[in-house]
């Protein structure tokens, strides 16, 4: 055999045999690197997921905080409205209470006035009745005296001589 052919056969055999030896070694080395790269990728994905979870948590926290602040403002506004309404209602109630006191005072005053006027009315009615009795008595006296005057005029007329007719 020629040396070149022999070298080619050995090289080819080495390449074939070396492939059998080098292949698993290279495969092993490549597998380790691949696993290491996959582990690094998995770690990076975990880190990314953690970062996403933190970001999502912050977003949720911010949204909840914004919602709570909005709700707090709504409740504060409602409280302010309720306090304003209470103040108006209290003022109205106080005004009505004062009006009731005024009306009760006026009613008491009118009742006293009514009692006084009722007593005065009874007194005036009693005086009127007395005056009616006196008037009736006076009218009876006048009627009696008028009758007596008429009787006296008749008597006087009968006592006077009749006028004589003039001669002539």
């Amino acid at each position: 055999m020629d040396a070149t052919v022999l070298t080619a056969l050995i090289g080819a055999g080495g390449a074939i045999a070396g492939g059998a030896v080098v292949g698993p070694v290279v495969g092993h080395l490549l597998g380790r690197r691949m696993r290491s790269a996959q582990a690094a990728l998995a770690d990076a994905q975990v880190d990314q997921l953690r970062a996403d979870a933190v970001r999502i948590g912050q977003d949720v926290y911010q949204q909840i905080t914004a919602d709570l602040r909005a709700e707090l403002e709504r409740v504060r506004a409602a409280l302010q409205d309720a306090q304003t309404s209470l103040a108006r209602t209290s003022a109205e109630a106080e005004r009505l209470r004062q009006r009731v006191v005024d009306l009760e005072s006026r009613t008491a005053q009118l009742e006293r006035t009514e009692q006084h006027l009722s007593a005065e009315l009874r007194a005036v009615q009693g005086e009127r009745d007395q005056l009616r009795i006196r008037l009736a008595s006076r009218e009876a006296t006048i009627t009696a005296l008028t009758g007596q005057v008429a009787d006296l005029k008749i008597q006087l007329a009968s006592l006077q001589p009749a006028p004589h007719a003039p001669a002539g």
Side-chain angles (χ1 to χ4, degrees):
M1 279 206 169
D2 189 29
T4 45
V5 173
L6 188 58
T7 303
L9 283 175
I10 292 173
I16 292 171
V21 172
V22 172
V25 171
V26 169
H28 177 69
L29 289 177
L30 286 178
R32 223 161 110 204
R33 284 186 183 165
M34 181 64 100
R35 283 190 303 272
S36 176
Q38 286 175 341
L41 178 62
D43 288 343
Q45 287 175 338
V46 166
D47 290 342
Q48 182 62 39
L49 288 174
R50 283 185 184 142
D52 288 347
V54 167
R55 185 184 48 77
I56 289 171
Q58 288 174 345
D59 289 348
V60 168
Y61 174 79
Q62 289 173 352
Q63 184 62 43
I64 289 172
T65 301
D67 290 348
L68 288 176
R69 284 187 181 138
E71 182 66 15
L72 181 60
E73 286 304 314
R74 187 191 66 73
V75 168
R76 281 183 182 156
L79 176 62
Q80 183 64 35
D81 290 347
Q83 287 173 334
T84 301
S85 178
L86 176 61
R88 275 194 310 262
T89 302
S90 295
E92 180 68 14
E94 184 56 35
R95 188 188 67 74
L96 290 174
R97 203 174 288 114
Q98 185 58 46
R99 180 74 176 136
V100 167
V101 167
D102 292 345
L103 289 175
E104 287 173 346
S105 173
R106 180 72 177 138
T107 300
Q109 179 185 10
L110 289 173
E111 285 174 352
R112 286 189 302 273
T113 301
E114 178 188 27
Q115 290 170 357
H116 172 72
L117 290 176
S118 180
E120 186 177 336
L121 176 63
R122 284 190 300 276
V124 167
Q125 286 173 337
E127 184 180 347
R128 178 200 64 196
D129 292 344
Q130 290 298 320
L131 289 174
R132 280 183 179 170
I133 292 170
R134 284 177 53 194
L135 176 62
S137 172
R138 295 292 188 267
E139 286 177 347
T141 301
I142 290 172
T143 302
L145 289 176
T146 302
Q148 285 177 1
V149 167
D151 288 344
L152 288 174
K153 281 184 182 180
I154 292 174
Q155 283 179 4
L156 182 62
S158 65
L159 291 178
Q160 283 186 0
H164 290 296

